[in-house]
């Protein structure tokens, strides 16, 4: 007999009056219905205290009169408490006996083997899935000042726990008292993959046109290594470092600039309770020839769901864009925003 015997207890009745019980190390006898044994915990459903979770190491034995089945055999049996610390399954094929601590799993007839459920969840989590998100930002003001701002962004991600393919497109349009204050179009794609729990690599390309900043076209590409410093269920922190190339064509004086760049970035996500989600990103791209020629972008926002399905959210945040040598007089552009977010799979 193996050192550990997996007994699948198939409970075909939910009548709490049957004689299921658990005997603890101090001699207490707890009665009810054993619904699950998994990861060293016996789940006992009672009429007087709901579902009790009892550690197997703190029990002497347990018993159920309901038919049970071994995972290796289709025969039904019952589980009986015998001598101290032991149970036996009685069936037409024999009466095997084992120590209580070696019973590692049981489940109801309407449930599945918890190990199979976990394996299925792990396999599903490893599969690549498409996720989509669109944001809408609309701000209007009338009176002493006539102001209208409109912005939208669409993202499509094909992701798994260890890689992500991302596409995005966004547009910003704004005017105040008849004068344009925003007129920007951008898009890009990126791919990131991790070959260990910490180390990975990435490639990315962004395109941008901004009439207010007199940028006819800016192309920024980068590739390098990723370092996943935190990788938890609620929190992920990734640092990127690499090399790239940037080309900028200005429409104000018909000049062009191009240079090799250093590509640095940070991405941080954190999920609070009730699916409140925070995202922080920072990128710093200086020219490798002149560190005074750079672009720096920071964006921090919190998304708060307001529907039961968590598809609709409100995003509140702040974005900073800094040009080392801007075409206009302003080097820093800071915006505070509130956006409507729709996300779906």
């Amino acid at each position: 007999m193996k050192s550990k015997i997996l007994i699948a207890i198939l409970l075909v009745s939910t009548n709490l009056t049957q004689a299921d019980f658990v005997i603890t190390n101090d001699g207490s006898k707890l009665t009810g219905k054993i619904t699950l044994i998994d990861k060293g915990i016996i789940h006992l459903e009672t009429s007087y205290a709901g579902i009790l979770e009892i550690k197997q190491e703190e029990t002497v034995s347990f018993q159920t009169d309901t038919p049970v089945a071994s995972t290796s055999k289709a025969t039904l049996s019952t589980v009986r408490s015998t001598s101290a610390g032991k149970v036996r399954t009685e069936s037409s094929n024999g009466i095997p006996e084992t120590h209580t601590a070696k019973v590692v799993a049981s489940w109801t007839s309407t449930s599945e083997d918890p190990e199979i459920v976990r394996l299925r969840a792990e396999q599903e989590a490893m599969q690549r899935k498409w996720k989509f998100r669109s944001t809408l930002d609309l701000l209007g003001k009338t009176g002493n000042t006539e102001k209208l701002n409109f912005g939208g962004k669409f993202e499509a991600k094909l992701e798994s726990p260890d890689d992500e393919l991302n596409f995005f497109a966004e547009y910003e349009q704004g005017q105040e008292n008849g004068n344009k204050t925003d007129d920007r179009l951008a898009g890009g794609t990126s791919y990131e993959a991790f070959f260990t729990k910490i180390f990975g690599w990435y490639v990315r390309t962004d395109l941008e046109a901004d009439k207010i900043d007199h940028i006819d076209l800016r192309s920024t590409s980068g590739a390098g290594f990723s370092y996943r410093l935190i990788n938890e269920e609620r929190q992920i922190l990734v640092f990127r470092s690499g090399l790239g190339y940037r080309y900028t064509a200005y429409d104000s004086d018909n000049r062009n600039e191009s240079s090799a760049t250093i590509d640095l970035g940070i991405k941080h996500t954190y999920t609070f309770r009730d699916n409140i989600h925070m995202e922080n990103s920072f990128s710093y791209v200086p020219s490798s020839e002149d560190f005074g020629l750079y672009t720096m972008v920071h964006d921090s926002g919190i998304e708060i769901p307001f529907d039961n399905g968590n598809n609709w959210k409100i995003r509140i945040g702040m974005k900073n864009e800094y040009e080392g040598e801007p075409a206009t007089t302003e080097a820093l552009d800071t915006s505070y925003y509130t956006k409507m977010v729709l996300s779906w799979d």
Side-chain angles (χ1 to χ4, degrees):
M1 183 178 295
K2 295 181 179 181
S3 62
K4 288 191 176 182
I5 301 174
L6 179 64
I7 301 178
I9 303 177
L10 305 178
L11 304 177
V12 297
S13 171
T14 59
N15 184 357
L16 296 180
T17 61
Q18 292 188 359
D20 290 11
F21 63 80
V22 175
I23 300 176
T24 62
N25 291 339
D26 62 3
S28 301
K29 183 177 181 181
L30 306 175
T31 60
K33 178 62 61 179
I34 298 174
T35 59
L36 177 69
I37 299 177
D38 184 38
K39 290 186 175 295
I41 301 294
I42 299 176
H43 297 248
L44 182 70
E45 184 179 355
T46 69
S47 59
Y48 48 87
I51 297 179
L52 302 177
E53 295 185 2
I54 309 161
K55 294 182 180 179
Q56 278 183 259
E57 63 187 28
E58 297 177 356
T59 66
V60 175
S61 185
F62 70 90
Q63 175 173 304
T64 175
D65 288 331
T66 313
V68 301
S70 168
T71 54
S72 60
K73 299 179 181 179
T75 56
L76 295 178
S77 60
T78 58
V79 176
R80 290 291 180 184
S81 174
T82 60
S83 57
K86 292 186 178 182
V87 294
R88 69 168 180 245
T89 58
E90 300 177 353
S91 70
S92 58
N93 290 346
I95 308 178
E97 186 176 73
T98 185
H99 197 280
T100 302
K102 293 183 180 181
V103 180
V104 297
S106 73
W107 57 94
T108 65
S109 59
T110 57
S111 304
E112 289 185 273
D113 182 340
E115 190 64 29
I116 293 177
V117 173
R118 277 192 292 272
L119 289 174
R120 183 187 301 118
E122 291 175 0
Q123 292 174 353
E124 290 178 353
M126 292 300 296
Q127 294 178 353
R128 291 188 177 95
K129 296 180 181 179
W130 280 104
K131 293 186 177 181
F132 305 94
R133 184 169 70 169
S134 61
T135 61
L136 178 64
D137 181 16
L138 181 62
L139 174 64
K141 183 178 181 181
T142 184
N144 296 327
T145 301
E146 297 292 334
K147 187 175 183 180
L148 178 64
N149 289 84
F150 169 80
K153 184 176 182 179
F154 175 77
E155 294 178 273
K157 294 181 181 181
L158 180 61
E159 62 180 4
S160 74
D162 290 322
D163 72 340
E164 177 182 292
L165 176 64
N166 182 34
F167 301 92
F168 81 93
E170 62 179 331
Y171 178 70
E172 297 176 4
Q173 176 73 50
Q175 62 180 19
E176 184 174 350
N177 295 330
N179 299 316
K180 279 191 175 182
T181 57
D182 295 285
D183 192 354
R184 178 175 176 269
L185 178 65
T189 182
S190 65
Y191 179 74
E192 184 172 46
F194 288 90
F195 46 84
T196 71
K197 292 183 178 180
I198 298 176
F199 299 104
W201 60 275
Y202 75 94
V203 292
R204 72 180 188 95
T205 297
D206 295 342
L207 299 174
E208 178 186 7
D210 193 328
K211 293 184 178 180
I212 304 302
D213 290 339
H214 303 289
I215 298 174
D216 191 42
L217 175 65
R218 171 177 286 161
S219 172
T220 305
S221 300
F225 293 99
S226 299
Y227 311 92
R228 193 160 49 184
L229 304 179
I230 301 177
N231 185 27
E232 300 174 352
E233 182 179 0
R234 290 184 174 270
Q235 182 173 209
I236 296 175
L237 175 62
V238 177
F239 173 72
R240 288 177 173 180
S241 63
L243 299 175
Y245 177 80
R246 179 174 58 208
Y247 169 82
T248 306
Y250 297 94
D251 62 8
S252 57
D253 51 8
N254 295 320
R255 66 186 177 96
N256 300 329
E257 293 179 351
S258 62
S259 66
T261 60
I262 299 173
D263 198 59
L264 302 174
I266 297 175
K267 182 180 179 181
H268 174 250
T269 61
Y270 187 84
T271 301
F272 299 90
R273 292 183 178 180
D274 301 323
N275 295 317
I276 298 176
H277 186 69
M278 178 177 66
E279 291 183 348
N280 301 292
S281 63
F282 174 81
S283 66
Y284 174 60
V285 184
S287 169
S288 60
E289 300 174 356
D290 182 3
F291 277 75
L293 181 62
Y294 64 87
T295 60
M296 184 169 58
V297 180
H298 157 257
D299 192 342
S300 293
I302 295 179
E303 294 183 0
I304 304 173
F306 62 90
D307 74 320
N308 293 333
N310 293 318
N311 296 112
W312 289 97
K313 302 176 183 179
I314 291 290
R315 180 180 175 91
I316 303 171
M318 178 181 67
K319 185 175 182 179
N320 295 299
E321 298 178 89
Y322 197 92
E323 293 275 350
E325 294 184 6
T328 59
T329 57
E330 296 294 333
L332 176 63
D333 186 9
T334 299
S335 59
Y336 304 90
Y337 59 80
T338 300
K339 300 180 179 182
M340 183 80 71
V341 179
L342 172 62
S343 58
W344 68 96
D345 296 337

